[in-house]
Amino acid sequence: MSDQTNPVNWFEIPVNDLERAKQFYETVFGLQLSLNEMGPMKMAWFPMTQGGPGATGTLIKSEGYVPSHAGTLVYFTVTDIEGALDKINATGGKMLMPKTSIGEHGHIAHFQDCEGNRVALHAMT
């Protein structure tokens, strides 16, 4: 791994209802996800900028993928945590941890998505 490469480049968020989850994430983050299939795996890919900073990933519906509060926690960068939490609560998700300061590194919050996954937000303000 290069010293100039972030160690994570892809994430997968398990879902039971791909269309519902796609609409949830598109509404909350103002993104357009693209539907794709790879064999038995059905996915909705988050947008990606080739060579851009950060990681991208997918919502995934496939055998062995189960939505959960346990395990790895994915953080989405936002500019307004409270605004994102309002959208989350209005679209079938729920806040698990309110906006919390992490000192000079900004603020975080945790939420449950419409599928039952624990996911997080990060903002510098």
Side-chain angles (χ1 to χ4, degrees):
M1 181 179 331
S2 163
D3 289 341
Q4 297 176 346
T5 301
N6 288 319
V8 175
N9 69 352
W10 183 256
F11 60 84
E12 295 176 339
I13 299 174
V15 302
N16 291 318
D17 184 325
L18 187 60
E19 189 55 42
R20 175 181 63 203
K22 179 179 179 289
Q23 290 176 343
F24 175 86
Y25 281 91
E26 287 178 339
T27 299
V28 169
F29 297 113
L31 303 170
Q32 188 67 40
L33 280 67
S34 59
L35 294 173
N36 294 277
E37 289 188 30
M38 297 177 114
M41 297 180 289
K42 294 182 182 354
M43 299 183 227
W45 292 350
F46 287 87
M48 180 181 126
T49 302
Q50 193 67 35
T56 194
T58 190
L59 303 176
I60 185 165
K61 179 178 172 71
S62 188
E63 188 174 325
Y65 286 83
V66 180
S68 169
H69 275 219
T72 303
L73 186 57
V74 175
Y75 281 81
F76 284 87
T77 301
V78 296
T79 55
D80 175 15
I81 287 180
E82 284 97 352
L85 288 171
D86 288 345
K87 290 178 186 173
I88 287 162
N89 290 327
T91 5
K94 89 178 175 185
M95 179 182 62
L96 298 173
M97 182 181 83
K99 181 178 178 180
T100 304
S101 174
I102 54 171
E104 67 184 72
H105 302 289
H107 292 85
I108 60 171
H110 294 183
F111 66 94
Q112 177 178 297
D113 71 8
C114 63
E115 300 299 294
N117 292 298
R118 181 175 59 117
V119 189
L121 303 170
H122 174 260
M124 286 307 297
T125 58

